[in-house]
Amino acid sequence: MRASFRGRDFLTLMDYSPKEIEVILEVAADLKRKWARREPHEYLRGRTIAMIFEKHSTRTRFSFQAGIAHLGAQSFYATPETMQLARGEPIKDTARVIDRYCDALVIRTYGQEIVEEYARYMRNPVINALTDLVHPCQALADLMTIREYKGRIRGLKLAYVGDPWNVCHSLMVASSLMGMNMYIALPRGWSPNKRISEFAEENSERHGCEIVVTEDLREALESADVVYANTFHSMGHKDIEERKKAFAGYQINSETLSWAKPDAIFMHCLPGYRGEEMTDEVIEGPQSAVWDQAENRMHTEKAVLALVVP
Ligand code: CP
Ligand code: NVA
């Protein structure tokens, strides 16, 4: 199986089949067991991984750098303003140069077309660490966490509140591929990206689940197995106060969480804003799975690296 992954970019889960996603999750579970037992797993000894982050990050940066160290490789972290990119060097030149030194590039940026351009000019794999469009590394950790808590993914119902942006989009892609029902609660006038919605519609039909957008928070939450919150104001948005107002009725608190199944888990990609998309009692409460979810970022990213790095 590794042969079918080696050298491949990881730009969006739309490029991966349900079977391939299963393989990544299996490798992640194995790496998690090895890590817990302190068993060495230096599958990438001597390799070098570049990391370019154009937006803030805590989880993605540290989980990748820790994971790369566990795998026996070295990471180099840079922000574009410290690179010649800031002085006008084109992406296509930057990409070809990094490709001569490093075995992969992990990149967090704005447009999906930016990661696609790096991928076009690099022979070695490019891994998307978040764009405006998608956050595929997050969705892998989400799937792993859901399976750990619920024993399965297919047939469950996930309710999502928050910005219809990268995290929402990757969850729509992942849910539609893995047969999980997803209800997205959004105020009138807000909707996910069209290309993602079309992908989700087509694949949910194929894989026997539904991806539903509703204004009705109760409809989204009723009988949900997983309640997922994300910020109302993703990185890059300037209209923060307007968004907080528009989304004000879409908070996960003790009352709204009680509309879901009694054994529902609460998830959040983090960073979270207490008093906005969720309350302190929910994120700190007994249904919260957020710290395991954050830990699983590292295991799933290690799996992607172990599979795709040549
Ligand atoms: N969830 C996530 O990607 O967190 P960071 O922005 O801290 O990396
Ligand atoms: N949607 C959020 C996710 C952060 C991990 C953002 O883009 O800011």
Side-chain angles (χ1 to χ4, degrees):
M1 210 4 143
R2 165 123 163 85
S4 69
F5 282 92
R6 196 174 296 131
R8 261 174 85 180
D9 296 313
F10 185 73
L11 304 185
T12 157
L13 285 176
M14 291 186 279
D15 299 336
Y16 283 76
S17 68
K19 223 166 149 191
E20 289 171 332
I21 293 171
E22 283 293 354
V23 171
I24 301 173
L25 295 177
E26 273 166 33
V27 172
D30 182 53
L31 289 170
K32 184 170 183 171
R33 275 189 297 272
K34 289 194 164 75
W35 176 77
R37 295 182 194 137
R38 297 278 185 262
E39 262 176 53
H41 46 279
E42 297 192 346
Y43 302 135
L44 298 180
R45 192 197 288 261
R47 308 294 216 295
T48 50
I49 317 283
M51 297 179 55
I52 301 176
F53 276 45
E54 199 167 356
K55 289 180 178 175
H56 295 101
S57 174
T58 297
R59 277 143 292 274
T60 312
R61 176 185 180 170
F62 282 95
S63 56
F64 263 109
Q65 291 200 284
I68 289 166
H70 299 164
L71 291 168
Q74 289 258 4
S75 59
F76 307 107
Y77 178 88
T79 56
E81 66 267 23
T82 63
M83 298 170 63
Q84 298 289 8
L85 278 166
R87 299 179 61 251
E89 186 167 24
I91 287 173
K92 61 183 180 182
D93 296 1
T94 309
R96 281 175 288 185
V97 170
I98 289 174
D99 197 49
R100 298 293 176 112
Y101 311 136
C102 295
D103 300 293
L105 169 67
V106 176
I107 178 164
R108 168 169 285 202
T109 186
Y110 290 87
Q112 186 72 6
E113 70 284 354
I114 299 174
V115 295
E116 285 167 2
E117 188 171 358
Y118 275 98
R120 209 162 38 248
Y121 286 95
M122 287 183 65
R123 292 161 308 178
N124 285 324
V126 174
I127 295 164
N128 183 350
L130 177 144
T131 57
D132 291 343
L133 186 69
V134 285
H135 196 1
C137 294
Q138 182 67 53
L140 283 180
D142 299 341
L143 292 175
M144 182 176 191
T145 310
I146 291 167
R147 179 167 285 162
E148 283 175 349
Y149 275 83
K150 295 284 163 198
R152 67 191 169 110
I153 295 166
R154 183 169 302 283
L156 294 178
K157 177 179 176 184
L158 179 148
Y160 176 93
V161 302
D163 197 3
W165 204 240
N166 40 32
V167 170
C168 176
H169 294 156
S170 279
L171 271 173
M172 290 168 72
V173 171
S175 300
S176 66
L177 287 172
M178 304 305 280
M180 180 165 62
N181 303 297
M182 179 172 176
Y183 279 62
I184 303 155
L186 286 175
R188 180 165 304 170
W190 296 79
S191 54
N193 172 278
K194 195 159 167 275
R195 175 181 160 209
I196 301 286
S197 299
E198 283 168 6
F199 179 94
E201 194 182 324
E202 193 187 315
N203 281 279
S204 56
E205 267 169 38
R206 185 174 308 155
H207 300 293
C209 59
E210 41 177 19
I211 311 293
V212 177
V213 176
T214 174
E215 276 174 48
D216 184 351
L217 181 60
R218 192 183 271 270
E219 183 196 2
L221 286 168
E222 257 166 11
S223 74
D225 303 280
V226 178
V227 177
Y228 198 114
N230 184 12
T231 182
F232 301 142
H233 42 89
S234 293
M235 292 179 280
H237 295 321
K238 304 247 182 308
D239 52 344
I240 297 179
E241 290 311 315
E242 282 163 46
R243 284 169 166 271
K244 282 201 233 172
K245 249 185 240 151
F247 283 82
Y250 292 82
Q251 185 186 68
I252 304 301
N253 50 42
S254 316
E255 192 203 335
T256 55
L257 184 61
S258 75
W259 298 343
K261 281 191 183 156
D263 65 349
I265 55 167
F266 173 74
M267 297 179 71
H268 196 307
C269 59
L270 304 176
Y273 298 87
R274 289 163 170 82
E276 295 182 17
E277 74 274 12
M278 48 80 191
T279 53
D280 186 70
E281 81 241 10
V282 167
I283 190 170
E284 302 291 353
Q287 286 165 272
S288 176
V290 301
W291 315 117
D292 291 324
Q293 182 186 1
E295 180 187 315
N296 286 338
R297 293 294 310 278
M298 181 173 75
H299 306 303
T300 43
E301 287 156 6
K302 284 167 73 174
V304 171
L305 289 168
L307 286 163
V308 304
V309 171

